[in-house]
Amino acid sequence: MSRTVMAVALAGAIFASEATAQTTAGATDATFTYQGQDKIIAQAPRADAISAARFYDLHGGCDGLCIAPDAAADDVETITENRVIDFMANELANGQGLLIDSRLPSDRAIGFLPASASIPHTLVTPDNPLLPDILKALGARSMLGAFNFSDAMTLVVFDAGPTTMDAHRLVNALIDAGYPADKIKYYRGGMQVWSSLGLTTEGTSS
């Protein structure tokens, strides 16, 4: 049962929650269909400082300033909000990509990007017996005891934002497991920057 639940979750299941309504008169909304549901990425007329502040997070601990590096790993592209939205409307909607929330479920409960799937960075470890199932759910194929990633999905990985390292941990764990770096993209802004720009989130109360 646990493997079935994991496979369903990693296939892109979305937390069942109401989306926060954030629309701007005259703005061009990005609309796409994901798993049979219409998703709209809109922008609020003004930033909601309270919503953005809830994603500010230093609980992971750090030496000196808690500012994530610009890049998560060699050959992993760092992308901005426009690229994330384009990814949602294209690779994600076409089933060729997955938007991954690398935070723990307790952090995700505060809010998340629409159409994102939860794969906490703590799950992708060599000693996790479900690691092969995770890689298969991402499109890898097991062949003679090894994985072939030629059909693996393109991934966009994010976390709370530039003050956290969850996305870095997941990106590097995936690469260590054999996932091609050029099939992974890092959204450094995460929930902090996304929400500070007034872009649509889900799982948050208005």
Side-chain angles (χ1 to χ4, degrees):
M1 178 63 73
S2 60
R3 293 195 174 204
T4 301
V5 172
M6 175 68 70
V8 171
L10 297 181
I14 306 303
F15 278 34
S17 57
E18 293 297 322
T20 301
Q22 297 181 335
T23 57
T24 304
T28 301
D29 298 337
T31 304
F32 61 98
T33 300
Y34 181 70
Q35 294 189 339
Q37 297 182 349
D38 290 336
K39 299 288 183 179
I40 300 175
I41 305 300
Q43 190 170 32
R46 61 184 59 83
D48 182 352
I50 295 177
S51 293
R54 76 179 67 183
F55 298 111
Y56 181 78
D57 182 10
L58 299 182
H59 72 69
C62 56
D63 296 325
L65 296 176
C66 290
I67 302 176
D70 293 347
D74 292 340
D75 300 321
V76 172
E77 182 183 6
T78 301
I79 63 174
T80 58
E81 292 71 33
N82 285 331
R83 292 286 303 281
V84 174
I85 294 171
D86 182 70
F87 176 84
M88 289 174 164
N90 291 282
E91 288 98 326
L92 183 64
N94 295 333
Q96 299 173 338
L98 195 63
L99 179 61
I100 296 179
D101 187 343
S102 61
R103 299 172 297 161
L104 299 177
S106 57
D107 295 323
R108 182 174 167 88
I110 303 172
F112 49 89
L113 298 188
S116 63
S118 176
I119 304 182
H121 65 92
T122 53
L123 281 182
V124 183
T125 60
D127 58 350
N128 183 358
L130 289 177
L131 181 58
D133 295 302
I134 294 173
L135 298 177
K136 289 176 184 178
L138 298 177
R141 289 180 288 122
S142 180
M143 301 177 64
L144 301 176
F147 280 100
N148 183 318
F149 292 91
S150 60
D151 296 328
M153 289 186 283
T154 299
L155 310 178
V156 170
V157 181
F158 71 94
D159 55 19
T163 61
T164 55
M165 295 289 290
D166 292 348
H168 284 71
R169 296 184 182 100
L170 180 57
V171 165
N172 284 280
L174 286 168
I175 292 173
D176 289 344
Y179 215 92
D182 60 1
K183 290 196 173 192
I184 306 174
K185 301 184 187 303
Y186 166 49
Y187 172 41
R188 182 177 183 271
M191 296 303 302
Q192 295 171 25
V193 177
W194 184 273
S195 59
S196 71
L197 293 174
L199 296 170
T200 303
T201 61
E202 292 184 351
T204 57
S205 58
S206 56

